[in-house]
Amino acid sequence: MRENGKPDNDDPDMSFRPRYLSSLSGDGYSHSASMRAKSGGGFKTLLAATFIVFLGYGTVLPVLPLFLDQVLSVVGEGDVSLHTGLLTGVYTLALFFFAPLWGSASDRLGRRPVLLCGLGGFALAMLGFSLINDLPLAYGMRALAGAFAAAVIPVALAQAAEYGGAVPRARRFAWLSAASTLGFLSGPMLSGWLAGITMVMPQSDMLLGGPVAWPFVVTAGLAGGVWLSVYRHVPGRPACLTPSSGYDPKKASTGPMGLFLILTLFAMLGLGAFEVGLSLQAQQSIGLTPFKIGLLFTECSLVMLMIQLLWSTYPPKRLSIGHLIGGAFLLMAIGILGLPYATGFWWAFVVVAFLGAGSGLLIPLLAYQVSLASGPAQGAALGKQTALASLGQAAGSAGAGLLFVDAALGTYWGLAILLIGIAGAVMGFQARFGVSQH
């Protein structure tokens, strides 16, 4: 495959072979020396940008009910729960609508302008959320935060796909996925710590929202710092191929890329259903305390992070992409199928490990395959994938919540059978589906 009119050294037959790295004395790009020097700092900046967006999402979740109660004066547990869910849904819905638009814009205008706009808008939306005391404005700010975050997630991947050098694209995608997992994991810890600063400073001297507003302010400040780093380190050239590259745009929108987009939708559908199902099963059926439920979610994030880091450091040499994707779907199916039968903390602990391992491998692997299939339209393709991932996760979460009481067992059996069928189809017919081999 070619990118920017030049051969891409990170394509499938090369990216999983560590011995290939020693031969990368040149990356096939006609960049200047200063541009090549930027690539190292630029990728670190992409890691920071991805981390901060997911940090912001994870930071909001633990303090949002408290913010609704203390700052927005939402009364009643039912109303607080309702608006907590709706505000989270507004953020996800904005990702769904805006990610493809931002991705396409980055293909035309270049990655850096879109990343700068996304990070700047995200920082202002987070800061604005800390200054409001009106519920409709809260919805507007959360929608803006999601809309601008949608400019960072797919465009960071698209920019990482275009860097040459010794680090293969598959490994870069694994690192970006690990950065998102680490950000989501760190967010609740940061907000919990910041929300307790009332012991240091009287609330009257703080922001309008008091201590629960500090997580939003700190996240905004960190996003501003990453904005400066993007401005300095990420190249500003537009991402495009020359006419001589032989790229056919019709082929980029069909074939294997459509398959990987559909697989992304199903993978995130399973993850969203599992997250809600785990929370409900642990609380209502097993009777776990909130602390132990939090431990299970932390375990899930840590397993995902470990798998992503292992994949980036020791990529498998003999397994095909089809077997990796199929195996990951099987792991997810085992986790989902075991969920309704979990009767204690340690059984749930094992179930979560299976789900975390499968989803931790699938997320970067599917993004990598979409990138390979997209030609020069990296931003547009990865934007579509981000949108479908958001849609799948939202649908899975909503479906699990609605069906848990009346049809939990049937729901999870049906979902597990679906994922097993997908795994079998991918592994059995990978050549027909166009799944690339190492």
Side-chain angles (χ1 to χ4, degrees), residues 27-230:
D27 59 8
Y29 281 73
S30 58
H31 292 176
S32 64
S34 61
M35 184 66 72
R36 288 194 300 269
K38 278 186 175 183
S39 64
F43 181 63
K44 293 176 183 176
T45 298
L46 297 179
L47 290 174
T50 302
F51 173 84
I52 201 65
V53 167
F54 282 90
L55 178 80
Y57 181 73
T59 297
V60 170
L61 291 179
V63 297
L64 188 54
L66 193 60
F67 191 85
L68 285 164
D69 182 23
Q70 294 185 0
V71 181
L72 302 182
S73 301
V74 176
V75 296
E77 292 184 1
D79 290 337
V80 170
S81 299
L82 174 65
H83 289 294
T84 298
L86 290 177
L87 283 168
T88 304
V90 163
Y91 183 94
T92 305
L93 193 63
L95 281 173
F96 172 72
F97 282 113
F98 284 92
L101 300 178
W102 285 118
S104 296
S106 74
D107 289 333
R108 298 190 305 270
L109 305 175
R111 312 300 182 202
R112 184 171 69 172
V114 175
L115 285 171
L116 290 174
C117 185
L119 282 167
F122 181 76
L124 291 176
M126 293 296 291
L127 182 62
F129 196 80
S130 71
L131 300 174
I132 61 173
N133 60 355
D134 183 71
L135 187 58
L137 284 177
Y139 277 95
M141 288 299 170
R142 289 309 291 158
L144 284 175
F148 285 111
V152 177
I153 298 170
V155 177
L157 286 167
Q159 179 65 29
E162 295 178 340
Y163 279 138
V167 183
R169 185 189 328 196
R171 295 186 177 187
R172 292 195 295 268
F173 275 36
W175 276 104
L176 285 168
S177 186
S180 67
T181 303
L182 185 61
F184 182 80
L185 181 63
S186 303
M189 294 186 288
L190 177 65
S191 63
W193 176 68
L194 290 172
I197 61 175
T198 47
M199 296 181 295
V200 180
M201 184 183 296
Q203 183 169 335
S204 59
D205 296 334
M206 292 184 182
L207 298 165
L208 177 65
V212 295
W214 275 107
F216 312 132
V217 176
V218 171
T219 302
L222 292 173
V226 176
W227 187 97
L228 293 174
S229 183
V230 168

Side-chain angles (χ1 to χ4, degrees), residues 22 50 100 111 143 207 221 292 332 349 359 398:
S22 61
T50 302
R111 312 300 182 202
L207 298 165
K292 287 189 175 181
M332 289 190 68
F349 191 90
S359 58

